[in-house]
């Protein structure tokens, strides 16, 4: 009887350990299904948070959620100051960064990047009936509006024969354009596209010519080639199945 009782106790202990092991494995699997994302939530229309909204919004936010879904994961997004993003990645506090981050050689020394998912740079908006301005090289002798303190304003002032009006907001620039006070507006591509899309602006058009083009990429640990391959595969799938185009159109309108 004593031996039988001991055997039953041992069996019970083994079952308990097995259940604990299953529970731990379940927790690990659950944790593994999360893609820990870092972003600086202050760069509309890529990442921002409207008052009263729980979830972070923006092009980057929708895109990384779609990427994670393609990978069989769920994006868990943390708001981190831009300067702290790469240190957080290096400390393994996050798995990836998506935050309107330009791919450049200096950053490549610290992180690995996905394939580019967005090309920024300066673009120009003119009135819909404008036929004489087709590129930045046509601006000589014309008047241009740009938001004060921006790269667009700085580079416009360096152009020969261009008169520059520096205004407070993108809205002010577009109002000046539509009123005929200037012939073109120069600003960062996402600012121009987002403003036109959100305000449903009419009577204006964006030109294809770009100045100082920059590619944005998703960053991850430099040695994590497996994650890099998975993210690139997910991005490709989103382009192939049209989901990327839907997200793009939501935030920037139809033009890519």
């Amino acid at each position: 009887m004593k031996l039988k009782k001991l055997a039953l106790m041992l069996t019970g202990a083994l079952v308990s350990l097995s259940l604990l092991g299953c529970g731990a494995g379940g927790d690990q699997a659950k944790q593994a299904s999360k893609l820990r994302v870092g972003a600086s939530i202050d760069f509309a229309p890529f990442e921002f948070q409207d008052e009263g909204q729980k979830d972070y919004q923006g092009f980057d936010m929708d895109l990384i959620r779609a990427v994670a879904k393609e990978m069989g994961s769920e994006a868990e997004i943390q708001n981190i100051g831009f300067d702290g993003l790469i240190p957080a990645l290096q400390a393994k506090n996050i798995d990836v960064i998506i935050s309107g981050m330009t791919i450049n050689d200096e950053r490549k020394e610290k992180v690995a990047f996905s394939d580019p998912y967005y090309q920024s740079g300066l673009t120009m908006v003119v009135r819909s009936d404008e036929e004489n301005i087709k590129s930045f090289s046509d601006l000589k002798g014309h008047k241009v509006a740009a938001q004060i303190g921006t790269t667009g304003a700085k580079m416009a002032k360096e152009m020969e024969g261009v008169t520059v009006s520096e205004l407070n907001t993108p809205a002010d620039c577009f109002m000046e354009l539509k009123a005929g006070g200037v012939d073109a507006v120069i600003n960062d591509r996402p600012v121009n596209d987002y403003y036109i899309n959100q305000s449903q602006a009419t009577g204006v058009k964006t030109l294809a010519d770009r100045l100082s083009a920059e590619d944005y990429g998703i960053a991850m640990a430099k040695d994590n080639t497996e994650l890099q391959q998975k993210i690139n595969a997910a991005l490709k799938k989103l382009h192939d199945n049209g989901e990327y185009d839907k997200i793009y159109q939501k935030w920037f309108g139809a033009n890519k």
Side-chain angles (χ1 to χ4, degrees):
M1 289 293 292
K2 288 183 178 180
L3 288 173
K4 186 176 180 180
K5 188 175 180 181
L6 180 60
L8 288 170
M9 290 173 64
L10 287 171
T11 302
L14 288 170
V15 169
S16 297
L17 287 171
S18 176
L19 288 172
L20 284 171
C22 289
D27 288 344
Q28 288 172 359
K30 187 176 180 181
Q31 188 173 0
S33 71
K34 296 284 188 182
L35 182 68
R36 300 174 303 160
V37 180
S40 182
I41 312 296
D42 58 359
F43 185 43
F46 289 93
E47 40 270 328
F48 62 98
Q49 187 175 31
D50 278 339
E51 188 175 349
Q53 291 285 337
K54 179 182 177 182
D55 294 330
Y56 300 134
Q57 303 169 68
F59 176 74
D60 281 353
M61 303 293 91
D62 285 352
L63 182 63
I64 199 62
R65 289 183 183 113
V67 166
K69 185 177 179 180
E70 284 295 334
M71 294 168 56
S73 301
E74 182 183 351
E76 187 177 75
I77 301 167
Q78 302 177 42
N79 184 8
I80 301 171
F82 195 85
D83 289 346
L85 286 170
I86 289 179
L89 185 65
Q90 292 173 325
K92 301 187 186 301
N93 294 327
I94 54 176
D95 302 312
V96 298
I97 297 167
I98 186 167
S99 197
M101 183 170 280
T102 301
I103 300 172
N104 60 35
D105 291 338
E106 182 181 355
R107 291 188 178 124
K108 281 182 179 179
E109 293 179 2
K110 300 175 182 177
V111 302
F113 280 102
S114 69
D115 294 334
Y117 68 85
Y118 182 91
Q119 188 176 68
S120 185
L122 296 176
T123 59
M124 181 168 39
V125 177
V126 297
R127 287 181 292 276
S128 297
D129 59 358
E130 177 62 66
E131 297 296 332
N132 295 321
I133 302 174
K134 293 181 171 63
S135 68
F136 283 95
S137 60
D138 297 326
L139 284 175
K140 188 173 181 179
H142 289 280
K143 297 178 181 178
V144 168
Q147 187 176 2
I148 190 169
T150 62
T151 303
K154 179 178 181 294
M155 297 194 77
K157 286 188 287 187
E158 293 173 357
M159 296 176 184
E160 184 181 353
V162 176
T163 303
V164 182
S165 296
E166 291 187 83
L167 304 176
N168 288 325
T169 67
D172 293 338
C173 294
F174 281 105
M175 286 176 62
E176 189 71 4
L177 175 66
K178 295 181 80 170
V182 296
D183 305 308
V185 170
I186 296 176
N187 216 326
D188 288 333
R189 180 194 176 197
V191 174
N192 281 338
D193 291 352
Y194 180 64
Y195 180 80
I196 290 173
N197 184 51
Q198 293 299 108
S199 65
Q200 299 296 305
T202 58
V204 296
K205 62 183 179 182
T206 304
L207 301 182
D209 196 23
R210 294 182 197 170
L211 200 62
S212 66
E214 298 176 342
D215 287 328
Y216 291 172
I218 300 170
M220 64 224 70
K222 199 170 181 180
D223 60 351
N224 200 342
T225 55
E226 182 181 356
L227 181 57
Q228 185 183 42
Q229 290 168 2
K230 287 180 178 179
I231 287 176
N232 284 338
L235 285 171
K236 184 179 185 304
K237 183 72 178 295
L238 293 172
H239 278 285
D240 291 345
N241 64 20
E243 189 62 28
Y244 178 92
D245 291 340
K246 291 178 184 177
I247 296 170
Y248 187 96
Q249 187 169 9
K250 173 182 174 181
W251 294 103
F252 302 114
N255 297 322
K256 278 200 291 185

